[in-house]
Amino acid sequence: MAAEASSSQLPKSVYDSRRHVGIHKERVSNVSSTDYPGHYPGEDHSWNLQKFKKKLQVKVQRLSTRSIEFDLVGVDASIANAFRRILIAEVPTIAIEHVYIWNNTSVIHDEVLAHRIGLVPLNVDPEFQEFRTSSGINATPNDRNTVVFKLSVACERNPKAPKGSIGQYINEYVKSGDLVWEPQGEQRSIFEVDPAPTNKDIVLAKLRPGQEVEMELHAIKGVGKEHAKWSPVATASYRLHPLIILNPDKPVPRYLATKFAECFSPGVVKVSIDERNMRKDSVSREVLRHPEFEGCVELKRIRDWFIFNIESEGAYTPERLLPESIKVMRAKIASIRKAAEALLTGGDGEGASADGDVEMGDA
């Protein structure tokens, strides 16, 4: 065959048409799940734990200090999407919430500067902190629910620098690295690493001689659905694994092999090389535009094979993010279970999850 679709030896089970979403020139097909009882006559597709465990796979494809790419195989799209939404909105982190401004003579308004500071990601592990809300029993700050930073920067001229040269000002920029942790209570012994911004070069404001910023900042635990500054990820996305099936009954003509390969993302299709790695394909459908390739190839996606890409903001290492989202989902399931048991037993309508008290309204 003149052109081979690159795919790193995918298992034969991925070629089962029941697992495919069809990609056509102007539409997609077979998008609905078929894994439920009664869809196929005479076949039992009721949920079975042993079958689920056999099909479930989680495999890390790439890991760096700030990002991770992994495959989640054998789950429904609703489960994969639930993990994505939890990662963005419900995995707790620590961010600056309360800003006490003693002096701000920069050109940036107090509210704007406070907002910029709140968005600075911190390296504080949320495990040690209790939830603190703006009102209620946990509203009083203490060394178990609040991390305090000081920010004090004043700009002045550098008398040693020639006039008009670079470096004529001292403290020309207010940066995230200027945040100084002020230990409270027993925090010095609690933290293995001093709390600080994950990126110390974020510019918060520009100053000129005579201008200064002095404030106290309180960081507390929160979740992304309350404000984006508490989201632990910069991005959390997934896509279905591409599948390119070449028709053995109608091979690509040798003189068109190069043109055929150029219809796909770089490295997906290689000329005269039997090597497979289809995960790079963007499924652009470019090959379907050319009549000379009609019937030579089918474009599909594997409906239960999700390629996740997650970028951590620093509070969690990338490999911790999926387990943390699973922990949140398990707490939600426990809440629903307790609420359902209360209904069945005619209780008072309240149930308690493993992670705290939950009312029926929350469930």
Side-chain angles (χ1 to χ4, degrees), residues 113-142:
L113 183 55
H115 183 264
R116 291 174 65 88
I117 292 173
L119 292 171
V120 173
L122 306 175
N123 68 350
V124 185
D125 191 335
E127 287 293 325
F128 99 99
Q129 280 204 331
E130 306 167 357
F131 266 103
R132 176 186 167 195
T133 57
S134 57
S135 61
I137 59 174
N138 292 327
T140 303
N142 56 60

Side-chain angles (χ1 to χ4, degrees), residues 10-146:
L10 297 179
K12 292 182 179 180
S13 61
V14 303
Y15 292 95
D16 180 359
S17 60
R18 294 183 179 184
R19 297 182 64 186
H20 296 168
V21 174
I23 308 296
H24 309 284
K25 188 180 297 186
E26 296 181 354
R27 65 185 180 90
V28 295
S29 61
N30 301 326
V31 295
S32 300
S33 174
T34 59
D35 295 334
Y36 54 88
H39 187 84
Y40 297 105
E43 296 184 16
D44 181 16
H45 290 280
S46 56
W47 193 83
N48 181 282
L49 178 59
Q50 296 304 319
K51 290 182 180 179
F52 176 77
K53 290 170 65 175
K54 187 177 181 180
K55 293 191 299 182
L56 179 64
Q57 296 180 47
V58 180
K59 184 177 181 181
V60 176
Q61 300 290 344
R62 177 184 54 79
L63 177 64
S64 68
T65 56
R66 297 297 295 273
S67 65
I68 185 172
E69 179 182 318
F70 64 89
D71 293 351
L72 178 61
V73 185
V75 300
D76 187 75
S78 60
I79 302 300
N81 195 46
F83 287 138
R84 182 190 66 84
R85 291 170 65 94
I86 290 172
L87 282 167
I88 294 172
E90 298 186 66
V91 173
T93 63
I94 308 299
I96 293 169
E97 170 70 355
H98 302 287
V99 178
Y100 301 95
I101 299 176
W102 312 131
N103 192 12
N104 174 25
T105 56
S106 71
V107 296
I108 300 181
H109 294 290
D110 293 352
E111 295 84 354
V112 177
L113 183 55
H115 183 264
R116 291 174 65 88
I117 292 173
L119 292 171
V120 173
L122 306 175
N123 68 350
V124 185
D125 191 335
E127 287 293 325
F128 99 99
Q129 280 204 331
E130 306 167 357
F131 266 103
R132 176 186 167 195
T133 57
S134 57
S135 61
I137 59 174
N138 292 327
T140 303
N142 56 60
D143 62 343
R144 295 291 174 172
N145 64 20
T146 304

